[in-house]
């Protein structure tokens, strides 16, 4: 069973911690056919089959997406991705997310699994997600209600497939200009990352998204709080490497983590503190 450090338990109970979700955090969700969300390699194959006659699958998702957009257009490709990801429903463990108060939830996922978890839990949710996708979404507006939790989607969302200012980040050129139109989101991440612990879930050690985000947060130096990575695939050497960067490994899956914090913190206390 995953053991949650005492300091992190306190931060979670008092609503001071932030979630940062990668693609792996969506695993466990299912669509109407009982399928899980596609991995990057699966999405590359789907795009290649739809737009490239099944060619270039071995090029990787970013390159396949770039070729698909070149031979068609970005709106068609994004709408196709949205169609694939629209029907996924959260797993039971995803429904634990709304039972906690979070300082913020950041994600690089396009799907709406987190939003669906809050919708499904309804009035039992301690917060209401306020989605932020670009500089055009005013983060200050979300503080008009104390129940709002910032849900900051750094790579776009399937709900916006025709807005050139918030394209879903998927091609090499888009990743090279990842801050464009999203400067406010990254400055918010840096500002809050200087004050609150961040829990990363759904990332691999070599995940480019994780490395980009940590490079942003590394600018804060040693003054920042302790960060955490939820993973069951890190070796002792990798764990030691991350510890040197003031990042602790919580050994297990995202499901293990949510079950652990649910079991190891007091739900009545969480509800009470959420009202304060």
């Amino acid at each position: 069973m995953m053991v949650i450090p005492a300091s992190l338990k306190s931060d979670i109970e008092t609503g001071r911690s932030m979630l940062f979700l990668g693609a792996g955090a969506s695993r466990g969700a299912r669509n109407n056919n009982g399928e899980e969300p596609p991995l990057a390699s699966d999405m590359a194959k789907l795009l290649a089959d739809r737009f490239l006659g099944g060619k270039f699958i071995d090029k990787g998702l970013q390159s396949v997406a770039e070729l698909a957009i070149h031979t068609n257009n970005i709106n068609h490709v994004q709408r196709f991705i949205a169609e694939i990801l629209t029907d996924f429903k959260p797993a039971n463990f995803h429904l634990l997310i709304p039972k906690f108060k979070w300082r913020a939830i950041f994600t690089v996922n396009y799907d709406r699994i987190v939003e669906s978890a809050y919708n499904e839990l309804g009035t039992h949710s301690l917060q209401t997600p306020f989605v932020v996708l670009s500089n055009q979404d005013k983060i200050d507006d979300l503080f008009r209600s104390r129940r709002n939790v910032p849900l900051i989607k750094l790579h776009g969302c399937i709900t916006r497939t025709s807005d050139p200012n918030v394209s879903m980040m998927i091609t090499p050129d888009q990743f090279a200009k990842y801050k464009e139109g999203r400067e406010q989101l990254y400055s918010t991440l840096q500002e809050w990352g200087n004050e609150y612990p961040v829990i990363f879930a759904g990332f691999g050690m070599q995940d480019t998204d994780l490395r980009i985000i940590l490079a942003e947060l590394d600018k804060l130096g040693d003054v920042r709080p302790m960060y955490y990575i939820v993973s069951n695939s890190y070796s002792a050497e990798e764990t030691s490497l991350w510890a040197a960067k003031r990042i602790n490994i919580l050994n297990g899956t995202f499901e293990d983590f949510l079950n652990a914090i649910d079991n190891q913190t007091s739900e009545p206390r969480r509800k009470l503190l959420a009202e304060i």
Side-chain angles (χ1 to χ4, degrees):
M1 181 178 180
M2 182 185 292
V3 178
I4 306 299
S7 59
L8 179 57
K9 278 196 290 189
S10 176
D11 285 327
I12 289 173
E13 279 191 332
T14 55
R16 287 181 45 82
S17 55
M18 301 196 297
L19 280 180
F20 203 120
L21 305 180
S26 293
R27 302 295 287 176
R30 302 279 178 177
N31 63 13
N32 294 331
N33 296 323
E35 301 164 331
E36 287 190 291
L39 300 172
S41 57
D42 301 323
M43 185 64 78
K45 183 178 187 308
L46 290 168
L47 289 174
D49 289 343
R50 171 64 178 81
F51 296 104
L52 302 171
K55 296 188 296 184
F56 308 112
I57 294 175
D58 60 338
K59 296 288 186 181
L61 177 57
Q62 290 186 31
S63 296
V64 170
E66 185 175 41
L67 287 166
I69 291 170
H70 173 69
T71 58
N72 293 269
N73 68 61
I74 189 168
N75 290 344
H76 287 168
V77 173
Q78 291 193 146
R79 281 198 293 270
F80 178 71
I81 294 173
E83 289 170 4
I84 293 170
L85 298 178
T86 293
D87 290 333
F88 284 95
K89 303 295 189 295
N92 287 336
F93 67 86
H94 289 127
L95 301 182
L96 291 174
I97 297 173
K99 292 188 175 183
F100 294 85
K101 181 180 179 181
W102 305 102
R103 181 62 183 84
I105 301 174
F106 289 84
T107 182
V108 293
N109 298 336
Y110 316 125
D111 61 54
R112 299 190 71 256
I113 291 168
V114 172
E115 296 97 307
S116 296
Y118 278 90
N119 290 337
E120 191 165 328
L121 209 61
T123 57
H124 297 290
S125 300
L126 294 187
Q127 295 173 294
T128 302
F130 185 100
V131 178
V132 180
L133 298 176
S134 73
N135 296 339
Q136 296 175 338
D137 300 315
K138 302 302 181 184
I139 292 179
D140 288 345
D141 290 346
L142 66 87
F143 295 113
R144 293 178 180 177
S145 170
R146 63 178 178 80
R147 280 185 55 85
N148 286 340
V149 56
L151 176 53
I152 299 178
K153 308 185 82 166
L154 296 174
H155 287 184
C157 181
I158 59 174
T159 59
R160 295 195 199 173
T161 58
S162 301
D163 187 343
N165 296 311
V166 274
S167 297
M168 289 189 285
M169 285 176 54
I170 194 169
T171 70
D173 287 346
Q174 288 172 324
F175 276 94
K177 299 181 288 185
Y178 67 94
K179 280 189 179 180
E180 195 170 279
R182 297 174 168 94
E183 294 86 355
Q184 180 180 335
L185 280 57
Y186 282 92
S187 65
T188 299
L189 173 62
Q190 277 200 338
E191 178 184 347
W192 294 349
N194 189 42
E195 188 173 354
Y196 304 102
V198 183
I199 304 154
F200 295 91
F203 294 96
M205 185 173 180
Q206 301 304 322
D207 198 309
T208 303
D209 294 329
L210 177 63
R211 294 294 182 156
I212 289 174
I213 298 305
L214 289 178
E216 290 290 325
L217 294 172
D218 275 348
K219 299 172 184 176
L220 302 174
D222 293 336
V223 298
R224 65 163 174 77
M226 184 68 70
Y227 292 165
Y228 303 86
I229 294 179
V230 177
S231 176
N232 60 359
S233 62
Y234 283 22
S235 65
E237 292 81 4
E238 291 168 330
T239 300
S240 175
L241 171 66
W242 286 115
K245 300 174 183 288
R246 289 180 48 78
I247 301 174
N248 282 347
I249 304 299
L250 300 176
N251 188 28
T253 64
F254 187 41
E255 179 178 5
D256 293 334
F257 169 74
L258 290 173
N259 285 322
I261 61 175
D262 189 40
N263 292 326
Q264 296 175 41
T265 62
S266 166
E267 185 171 8
R269 176 175 166 79
R270 298 195 313 253
K271 290 181 177 178
L272 176 63
L273 293 176
E275 295 299 323
I276 299 176

